[in-house]
Amino acid sequence: MVGKFLKPGAIVDLIKSEERTNSIRKRVGLTMHPIRATVCGCPDPNCGGWYDIITERTIPTAEECTSILKEAKEKKKQA
């Protein structure tokens, strides 16, 4: 029988990693950049992985999101 993929210690490790990454984002001023979880396959039962800051992309603002949704709705109506 196969066990669970992430043990409780690994989940805690992953959550703490997210908190550390968010604090680094705030300190460096990269709050408009998204983060991505990377789950490693190491044999350590308490290792969940880490988070990477994706500096190539930015998170759209609320106004940009509204305009993107309006454009998508218009395209959907035309089709």
Side-chain angles (χ1 to χ4, degrees):
M1 183 172 169
V2 179
K4 293 181 181 178
F5 179 65
L6 290 174
K7 305 284 185 204
I11 293 171
V12 170
D13 180 55
L14 203 53
I15 291 170
K16 293 296 180 185
S17 174
E18 180 183 14
E19 291 171 355
R20 284 189 298 270
T21 303
N22 282 332
S23 67
I24 291 170
R25 280 174 57 204
K26 288 178 186 174
R27 247 183 278 131
V28 178
L30 298 174
T31 55
M32 292 302 296
H33 295 280
I35 60 173
R36 177 185 301 140
T38 304
V39 179
C40 66
C42 69
D44 183 12
N46 291 322
C47 179
W50 62 90
Y51 280 84
D52 295 321
I53 301 171
I54 305 169
T55 56
E56 294 84 32
R57 294 183 7 214
T58 58
I59 299 171
T61 63
E63 294 82 21
E64 292 172 341
C65 288
T66 304
S67 66
I68 291 169
L69 288 173
K70 283 182 182 177
E71 290 173 9
K73 191 174 182 181
E74 290 296 323
K75 286 181 185 178
K76 201 174 195 181
K77 281 184 180 179
Q78 291 175 358

Coordinates of all heavy atoms in Angstrom, one line a residue:
M1 N 0.8 -1.2 0.0 CA 0.0 0.0 0.0 C 0.9 1.2 0.0 O 1.8 1.4 0.8 CB -0.9 0.0 1.2 CG -1.8 1.1 1.3 SD -3.0 0.8 2.7 CE -3.7 2.4 2.7
V2 N 0.5 2.2 -0.9 CA 1.3 3.4 -1.0 C 0.9 4.4 0.1 O -0.3 4.6 0.3 CB 1.1 4.0 -2.4 CG1 1.9 5.3 -2.6 CG2 1.6 3.0 -3.4
G3 N 1.9 5.1 0.7 CA 1.6 6.1 1.7 C 1.2 7.5 1.0 O 1.1 7.6 -0.2
K4 N 0.9 8.4 1.9 CA 0.5 9.8 1.4 C 1.7 10.4 0.7 O 2.9 10.1 1.1 CB 0.0 10.6 2.5 CG -1.3 10.2 3.1 CD -1.6 11.1 4.3 CE -2.9 10.7 4.9 NZ -3.3 11.5 6.0
F5 N 1.4 11.3 -0.2 CA 2.5 12.0 -0.9 C 3.3 12.9 0.0 O 4.5 12.9 0.1 CB 2.0 12.7 -2.1 CG 3.0 13.4 -2.9 CD1 4.1 12.8 -3.5 CD2 3.0 14.8 -3.0 CE1 5.0 13.4 -4.3 CE2 4.0 15.5 -3.7 CZ 5.0 14.8 -4.3
L6 N 2.6 13.8 0.7 CA 3.2 14.7 1.6 C 2.8 14.4 3.0 O 1.6 14.3 3.4 CB 2.8 16.2 1.3 CG 3.3 16.8 0.0 CD1 2.7 18.1 -0.3 CD2 4.8 16.9 0.0
K7 N 3.8 14.2 3.9 CA 3.6 13.9 5.3 C 3.2 15.3 6.0 O 3.5 16.3 5.4 CB 4.8 13.3 5.9 CG 5.3 12.0 5.2 CD 4.4 10.9 5.6 CE 5.0 9.6 5.0 NZ 4.0 8.6 4.8
P8 N 2.7 15.2 7.2 CA 2.4 16.5 7.9 C 3.6 17.4 8.1 O 3.5 18.6 7.9 CB 1.9 16.0 9.3 CG 1.3 14.7 9.0 CD 2.2 14.1 7.9
G9 N 4.8 16.9 8.3 CA 6.0 17.7 8.4 C 6.3 18.4 7.1 O 6.8 19.5 7.1
A10 N 6.1 17.7 6.0 CA 6.4 18.3 4.7 C 5.4 19.4 4.4 O 5.8 20.4 3.8 CB 6.4 17.2 3.6
I11 N 4.2 19.2 4.8 CA 3.2 20.3 4.5 C 3.5 21.5 5.3 O 3.4 22.6 4.8 CB 1.8 19.8 4.9 CG1 1.4 18.7 3.9 CG2 0.7 20.9 4.8 CD1 0.1 17.9 4.2
V12 N 3.9 21.3 6.6 CA 4.3 22.5 7.4 C 5.5 23.2 6.8 O 5.6 24.4 6.7 CB 4.6 22.0 8.8 CG1 5.3 23.1 9.7 CG2 3.3 21.6 9.5
D13 N 6.5 22.4 6.3 CA 7.7 22.9 5.6 C 7.3 23.8 4.4 O 7.8 24.9 4.2 CB 8.6 21.8 5.2 CG 9.9 22.3 4.6 OD1 10.6 23.2 5.2 OD2 10.2 21.9 3.4
L14 N 6.3 23.3 3.6 CA 5.9 24.0 2.4 C 5.2 25.3 2.8 O 5.4 26.4 2.2 CB 5.0 23.1 1.6 CG 4.9 23.4 0.1 CD1 6.2 23.5 -0.5 CD2 4.0 22.4 -0.5
I15 N 4.4 25.3 3.9 CA 3.7 26.5 4.3 C 4.7 27.5 4.8 O 4.6 28.7 4.5 CB 2.6 26.2 5.4 CG1 1.5 25.4 4.7 CG2 2.1 27.4 6.0 CD1 0.5 24.8 5.7
K16 N 5.6 27.1 5.6 CA 6.7 28.0 6.1 C 7.5 28.6 5.0 O 7.9 29.8 5.0 CB 7.6 27.3 7.1 CG 6.9 26.9 8.4 CD 6.4 28.1 9.2 CE 5.7 27.8 10.4 NZ 5.1 28.9 11.1
S17 N 7.8 27.8 4.0 CA 8.5 28.3 2.8 C 7.7 29.4 2.1 O 8.3 30.4 1.6 CB 8.8 27.1 1.9 OG 9.4 27.6 0.7
E18 N 6.4 29.2 2.0 CA 5.6 30.2 1.4 C 5.6 31.5 2.2 O 5.7 32.6 1.6 CB 4.1 29.7 1.2 CG 3.2 30.7 0.6 CD 1.8 30.2 0.5 OE1 1.4 29.3 1.2 OE2 1.0 30.9 -0.2
E19 N 5.5 31.4 3.5 CA 5.6 32.6 4.3 C 6.9 33.3 4.2 O 7.0 34.5 4.1 CB 5.4 32.2 5.8 CG 3.9 31.7 6.1 CD 3.8 31.2 7.4 OE1 4.8 31.0 8.2 OE2 2.6 30.8 7.8
R20 N 8.0 32.5 4.1 CA 9.4 33.1 4.0 C 9.5 33.8 2.6 O 10.0 34.9 2.5 CB 10.5 32.1 4.1 CG 10.7 31.7 5.5 CD 12.0 30.8 5.6 NE 11.9 29.6 4.9 CZ 11.4 28.4 5.4 NH1 11.0 28.4 6.6 NH2 11.3 27.3 4.6
T21 N 9.0 33.2 1.6 CA 9.0 33.7 0.2 C 8.2 35.0 0.1 O 8.6 36.0 -0.5 CB 8.5 32.7 -0.8 OG1 9.3 31.5 -0.7 CG2 8.7 33.3 -2.2
N22 N 7.0 35.1 0.8 CA 6.2 36.3 0.7 C 6.9 37.4 1.5 O 6.8 38.6 1.1 CB 4.8 36.0 1.3 CG 3.9 35.3 0.3 OD1 4.1 35.4 -0.9 ND2 3.0 34.5 0.8
S23 N 7.6 37.1 2.6 CA 8.3 38.2 3.3 C 9.5 38.7 2.5 O 9.7 39.9 2.5 CB 8.8 37.7 4.7 OG 9.7 36.7 4.6
I24 N 10.1 37.8 1.8 CA 11.2 38.3 0.9 C 10.7 39.1 -0.2 O 11.2 40.2 -0.6 CB 12.0 37.0 0.3 CG1 12.8 36.3 1.4 CG2 12.9 37.5 -0.8 CD1 13.4 35.0 1.0
R25 N 9.5 38.7 -0.8 CA 8.9 39.5 -1.9 C 8.6 40.9 -1.4 O 8.8 41.9 -2.1 CB 7.6 38.9 -2.3 CG 7.8 37.8 -3.3 CD 6.4 37.1 -3.6 NE 5.4 38.0 -4.1 CZ 4.1 37.8 -4.0 NH1 3.7 36.7 -3.5 NH2 3.3 38.6 -4.6
K26 N 8.1 41.0 -0.2 CA 7.7 42.4 0.4 C 9.0 43.2 0.6 O 9.0 44.4 0.4 CB 6.9 42.2 1.7 CG 5.5 41.7 1.5 CD 4.8 41.5 2.8 CE 3.4 40.9 2.5 NZ 2.8 40.5 3.8
R27 N 10.0 42.5 1.2 CA 11.3 43.3 1.5 C 11.9 43.8 0.2 O 12.4 44.9 0.2 CB 12.2 42.3 2.2 CG 12.5 42.8 3.6 CD 13.5 41.9 4.3 NE 12.8 40.7 4.8 CZ 13.2 39.4 4.6 NH1 14.4 39.2 3.9 NH2 12.6 38.4 5.0
V28 N 11.9 43.0 -0.8 CA 12.6 43.4 -2.0 C 11.8 44.2 -2.9 O 12.3 44.9 -3.8 CB 13.1 42.1 -2.8 CG1 13.8 42.4 -4.1 CG2 14.0 41.3 -1.9
G29 N 10.5 44.2 -2.7 CA 9.6 45.0 -3.5 C 9.0 44.3 -4.7 O 8.7 45.0 -5.7
L30 N 8.9 43.0 -4.7 CA 8.4 42.2 -5.8 C 7.0 41.7 -5.6 O 6.7 40.6 -6.0 CB 9.4 41.0 -6.1 CG 10.8 41.4 -6.4 CD1 11.6 40.1 -6.5 CD2 10.8 42.1 -7.8
T31 N 6.2 42.5 -4.9 CA 4.8 42.0 -4.6 C 3.9 41.9 -5.8 O 2.9 41.2 -5.7 CB 4.1 43.0 -3.6 OG1 4.1 44.3 -4.1 CG2 4.9 43.0 -2.2
M32 N 4.3 42.5 -6.9 CA 3.5 42.3 -8.1 C 3.9 41.1 -9.0 O 3.4 40.9 -10.1 CB 3.6 43.6 -9.0 CG 2.9 44.8 -8.3 SD 1.2 44.5 -8.0 CE 0.5 44.3 -9.6
H33 N 4.8 40.3 -8.5 CA 5.3 39.1 -9.2 C 4.7 37.9 -8.5 O 4.7 37.8 -7.2 CB 6.8 39.1 -9.2 CG 7.4 40.2 -10.0 ND1 7.5 40.2 -11.3 CD2 8.0 41.3 -9.6 CE1 8.1 41.3 -11.7 NE2 8.4 42.0 -10.7
P34 N 4.2 36.9 -9.3 CA 3.7 35.7 -8.6 C 4.8 34.8 -8.1 O 5.9 34.9 -8.4 CB 2.9 35.0 -9.8 CG 3.7 35.5 -11.0 CD 4.1 36.9 -10.7
I35 N 4.3 33.8 -7.3 CA 5.2 32.8 -6.8 C 4.7 31.4 -7.3 O 3.6 31.2 -7.6 CB 5.4 32.8 -5.3 CG1 4.1 32.6 -4.6 CG2 6.0 34.1 -4.8 CD1 4.2 32.4 -3.1
R36 N 5.7 30.4 -7.4 CA 5.3 29.1 -7.9 C 5.9 28.1 -6.9 O 7.1 28.2 -6.5 CB 5.9 28.9 -9.3 CG 5.6 27.4 -9.8 CD 6.3 27.1 -11.1 NE 5.8 28.1 -12.1 CZ 6.6 28.6 -13.0 NH1 7.9 28.3 -13.1 NH2 6.1 29.5 -13.9
A37 N 5.1 27.1 -6.5 CA 5.6 26.0 -5.6 C 6.4 25.0 -6.4 O 6.0 24.6 -7.5 CB 4.4 25.4 -4.9
T38 N 7.5 24.6 -5.9 CA 8.3 23.5 -6.5 C 8.4 22.4 -5.5 O 9.0 22.6 -4.4 CB 9.7 24.1 -6.9 OG1 9.5 25.2 -7.7 CG2 10.5 23.0 -7.6
V39 N 7.8 21.3 -5.8 CA 7.9 20.1 -4.9 C 9.0 19.2 -5.3 O 9.1 18.8 -6.4 CB 6.6 19.3 -4.9 CG1 6.6 18.2 -3.9 CG2 5.4 20.3 -4.5
C40 N 10.0 19.0 -4.4 CA 11.2 18.2 -4.8 C 10.9 16.8 -4.5 O 9.9 16.4 -3.7 CB 12.4 18.7 -4.0 SG 12.3 18.5 -2.2
G41 N 11.6 15.9 -5.0 CA 11.4 14.5 -4.8 C 12.5 13.8 -3.9 O 12.8 12.6 -4.1
C42 N 13.0 14.6 -3.0 CA 14.1 14.0 -2.2 C 13.4 13.1 -1.2 O 12.3 13.1 -0.9 CB 14.8 15.2 -1.5 SG 13.9 16.1 -0.2
P43 N 14.2 12.1 -0.6 CA 13.7 11.1 0.3 C 13.4 11.6 1.7 O 12.9 10.9 2.5 CB 14.8 10.1 0.3 CG 16.0 10.8 0.0 CD 15.6 11.9 -1.0
D44 N 13.7 12.9 2.0 CA 13.5 13.4 3.3 C 12.0 13.5 3.6 O 11.3 14.2 2.8 CB 14.1 14.8 3.5 CG 14.0 15.4 4.9 OD1 13.6 14.6 5.8 OD2 14.3 16.6 5.0
P45 N 11.4 12.9 4.6 CA 10.0 12.9 4.8 C 9.5 14.3 5.3 O 8.3 14.6 5.2 CB 9.7 11.9 5.9 CG 11.0 11.7 6.6 CD 12.1 12.0 5.6
N46 N 10.3 15.2 5.8 CA 9.9 16.5 6.2 C 10.2 17.6 5.3 O 10.1 18.8 5.6 CB 10.6 16.8 7.6 CG 10.0 15.9 8.7 OD1 8.8 15.6 8.7 ND2 10.8 15.5 9.6
C47 N 10.6 17.2 4.1 CA 10.9 18.2 3.0 C 9.7 18.3 2.1 O 9.4 17.3 1.4 CB 12.2 17.9 2.3 SG 12.6 19.0 1.0
G48 N 9.1 19.5 2.0 CA 8.0 19.6 1.2 C 8.3 20.3 -0.2 O 7.7 20.1 -1.2
G49 N 9.3 21.1 -0.2 CA 9.8 21.8 -1.4 C 10.0 23.3 -1.0 O 10.3 23.6 0.1
W50 N 9.9 24.1 -2.0 CA 10.1 25.5 -1.8 C 9.3 26.3 -2.8 O 8.6 25.8 -3.7 CB 11.6 25.9 -2.0 CG 12.1 25.6 -3.4 CD1 12.1 26.4 -4.5 CD2 12.6 24.3 -3.8 NE1 12.7 25.8 -5.6 CE2 13.0 24.5 -5.2 CE3 12.9 23.1 -3.2 CZ2 13.5 23.4 -6.0 CZ3 13.4 22.1 -4.0 CH2 13.7 22.3 -5.3
Y51 N 9.3 27.7 -2.7 CA 8.6 28.5 -3.6 C 9.6 29.4 -4.3 O 10.6 29.8 -3.8 CB 7.6 29.5 -2.8 CG 6.4 28.8 -2.5 CD1 6.3 28.0 -1.3 CD2 5.2 28.9 -3.3 CE1 5.1 27.3 -1.0 CE2 4.1 28.2 -3.0 CZ 4.0 27.5 -1.8 OH 2.8 26.8 -1.5
D52 N 9.3 29.7 -5.6 CA 10.2 30.5 -6.5 C 9.4 31.8 -6.8 O 8.2 31.7 -7.0 CB 10.5 29.8 -7.8 CG 11.4 28.6 -7.5 OD1 12.3 28.7 -6.7 OD2 11.2 27.6 -8.2
I53 N 10.1 32.9 -6.8 CA 9.5 34.2 -7.3 C 9.7 34.3 -8.8 O 10.8 34.2 -9.3 CB 10.1 35.4 -6.6 CG1 9.9 35.2 -5.1 CG2 9.5 36.7 -7.1 CD1 10.7 36.3 -4.3
I54 N 8.6 34.4 -9.5 CA 8.7 34.5 -11.0 C 8.8 36.0 -11.4 O 7.8 36.7 -11.4 CB 7.5 33.8 -11.6 CG1 7.3 32.4 -11.1 CG2 7.6 33.9 -13.2 CD1 6.0 31.8 -11.5
T55 N 10.0 36.4 -11.7 CA 10.2 37.8 -12.0 C 9.9 38.1 -13.5 O 9.9 39.3 -13.9 CB 11.7 38.2 -11.7 OG1 12.6 37.3 -12.4 CG2 12.0 38.1 -10.2
E56 N 9.7 37.1 -14.3 CA 9.4 37.3 -15.7 C 8.0 37.8 -16.0 O 7.6 38.4 -17.0 CB 9.6 36.0 -16.6 CG 11.1 35.6 -16.6 CD 11.4 34.7 -15.4 OE1 10.6 34.0 -14.9 OE2 12.6 34.8 -15.0
R57 N 7.1 37.5 -15.0 CA 5.7 37.9 -15.1 C 5.3 38.8 -14.0 O 5.9 38.9 -13.0 CB 4.8 36.6 -15.0 CG 4.9 35.7 -16.2 CD 4.0 34.5 -16.1 NE 3.0 34.5 -15.1 CZ 2.6 33.4 -14.4 NH1 3.1 32.3 -14.7 NH2 1.6 33.5 -13.5
T58 N 4.2 39.5 -14.2 CA 3.6 40.4 -13.1 C 2.1 40.0 -13.0 O 1.5 39.5 -13.9 CB 3.7 41.9 -13.5 OG1 3.1 42.1 -14.7 CG2 5.2 42.3 -13.5
I59 N 1.6 40.3 -11.8 CA 0.2 40.1 -11.5 C -0.5 41.3 -11.9 O -0.1 42.4 -11.6 CB 0.0 39.9 -10.0 CG1 0.8 38.6 -9.5 CG2 -1.5 39.7 -9.6 CD1 0.8 38.5 -8.0
P60 N -1.6 41.2 -12.7 CA -2.3 42.3 -13.2 C -3.0 43.1 -12.1 O -3.5 42.4 -11.1 CB -3.3 41.8 -14.2 CG -3.4 40.3 -14.0 CD -2.1 39.9 -13.3
T61 N -3.2 44.4 -12.2 CA -3.9 45.2 -11.2 C -5.4 44.9 -11.4 O -5.9 44.3 -12.4 CB -3.6 46.6 -11.4 OG1 -4.1 47.0 -12.7 CG2 -2.2 46.9 -11.3
A62 N -6.2 45.4 -10.5 CA -7.7 45.2 -10.5 C -8.3 45.8 -11.8 O -9.2 45.3 -12.4 CB -8.3 45.8 -9.3
E63 N -7.8 47.0 -12.2 CA -8.3 47.7 -13.4 C -7.9 46.8 -14.7 O -8.7 46.7 -15.6 CB -7.7 49.1 -13.6 CG -8.1 50.0 -12.5 CD -7.3 49.9 -11.2 OE1 -6.2 49.4 -11.2 OE2 -7.9 50.3 -10.2
E64 N -6.7 46.3 -14.7 CA -6.3 45.5 -15.8 C -7.1 44.2 -15.9 O -7.5 43.8 -17.0 CB -4.8 45.1 -15.7 CG -3.9 46.3 -15.9 CD -2.4 46.0 -15.6 OE1 -2.2 45.0 -14.9 OE2 -1.6 46.7 -16.1
C65 N -7.4 43.6 -14.7 CA -8.3 42.4 -14.7 C -9.6 42.7 -15.2 O -10.2 41.9 -16.0 CB -8.4 41.9 -13.3 SG -6.8 41.1 -12.7
T66 N -10.2 43.8 -14.9 CA -11.5 44.2 -15.4 C -11.5 44.3 -16.9 O -12.4 43.8 -17.5 CB -12.0 45.5 -14.7 OG1 -11.9 45.4 -13.3 CG2 -13.4 45.9 -15.1
S67 N -10.5 45.0 -17.4 CA -10.5 45.2 -18.9 C -10.2 43.8 -19.6 O -10.8 43.6 -20.6 CB -9.4 46.2 -19.2 OG -8.1 45.7 -18.9
I68 N -9.4 43.0 -19.0 CA -9.2 41.6 -19.6 C -10.5 40.8 -19.6 O -10.8 40.2 -20.6 CB -8.1 40.9 -18.8 CG1 -6.7 41.6 -19.0 CG2 -8.0 39.4 -19.2 CD1 -5.6 41.1 -18.1
L69 N -11.2 40.9 -18.5 CA -12.5 40.2 -18.5 C -13.5 40.7 -19.5 O -14.3 40.0 -20.1 CB -13.1 40.2 -17.1 CG -12.4 39.3 -16.1 CD1 -12.9 39.6 -14.7 CD2 -12.5 37.9 -16.4
K70 N -13.6 42.1 -19.6 CA -14.5 42.7 -20.6 C -14.1 42.2 -22.0 O -15.0 41.9 -22.8 CB -14.4 44.2 -20.5 CG -15.2 44.7 -19.3 CD -15.1 46.2 -19.3 CE -15.9 46.8 -18.1 NZ -15.8 48.2 -18.0
E71 N -12.8 42.2 -22.4 CA -12.4 41.8 -23.7 C -12.7 40.4 -23.9 O -13.2 40.0 -25.0 CB -10.9 42.0 -23.8 CG -10.5 43.5 -23.9 CD -9.0 43.6 -23.9 OE1 -8.2 42.6 -24.0 OE2 -8.5 44.8 -23.8
A72 N -12.6 39.5 -23.0 CA -12.9 38.1 -23.1 C -14.4 37.9 -23.3 O -14.8 37.1 -24.1 CB -12.4 37.3 -21.9
K73 N -15.1 38.7 -22.6 CA -16.6 38.6 -22.7 C -17.1 39.0 -24.1 O -18.0 38.4 -24.7 CB -17.3 39.4 -21.6 CG -18.7 39.2 -21.4 CD -19.2 39.9 -20.2 CE -20.7 39.7 -20.0 NZ -21.2 40.4 -18.8
E74 N -16.5 40.1 -24.6 CA -16.8 40.6 -25.9 C -16.5 39.5 -27.0 O -17.3 39.3 -27.9 CB -16.1 41.9 -26.2 CG -16.6 43.1 -25.4 CD -18.1 43.4 -25.8 OE1 -18.5 43.3 -27.0 OE2 -18.8 43.7 -24.8
K75 N -15.3 38.9 -26.9 CA -14.9 37.9 -27.8 C -15.8 36.7 -27.8 O -16.2 36.1 -28.8 CB -13.5 37.4 -27.6 CG -12.4 38.4 -28.0 CD -11.0 37.9 -27.7 CE -10.0 38.9 -28.0 NZ -8.6 38.4 -27.6
K76 N -16.3 36.3 -26.6 CA -17.2 35.2 -26.4 C -18.6 35.5 -27.0 O -19.2 34.7 -27.6 CB -17.3 34.9 -24.9 CG -17.8 33.6 -24.6 CD -17.8 33.4 -23.1 CE -17.9 31.9 -22.7 NZ -17.9 31.7 -21.3
K77 N -19.0 36.8 -26.9 CA -20.3 37.2 -27.5 C -20.2 37.2 -29.0 O -21.2 36.8 -29.6 CB -20.7 38.6 -27.0 CG -21.2 38.7 -25.6 CD -21.7 40.1 -25.3 CE -22.3 40.2 -23.9 NZ -22.7 41.5 -23.6
Q78 N -19.1 37.6 -29.5 CA -19.0 37.6 -31.0 C -18.9 36.2 -31.6 O -19.4 36.0 -32.7 CB -17.7 38.4 -31.4 CG -17.8 39.8 -31.1 CD -16.5 40.6 -31.4 OE1 -15.5 39.9 -31.8 NE2 -16.5 41.9 -31.2
A79 N -18.4 35.2 -30.8 CA -18.3 33.9 -31.3 C -19.6 33.2 -31.2 O -20.4 32.9 -31.9 CB -17.3 33.1 -30.5

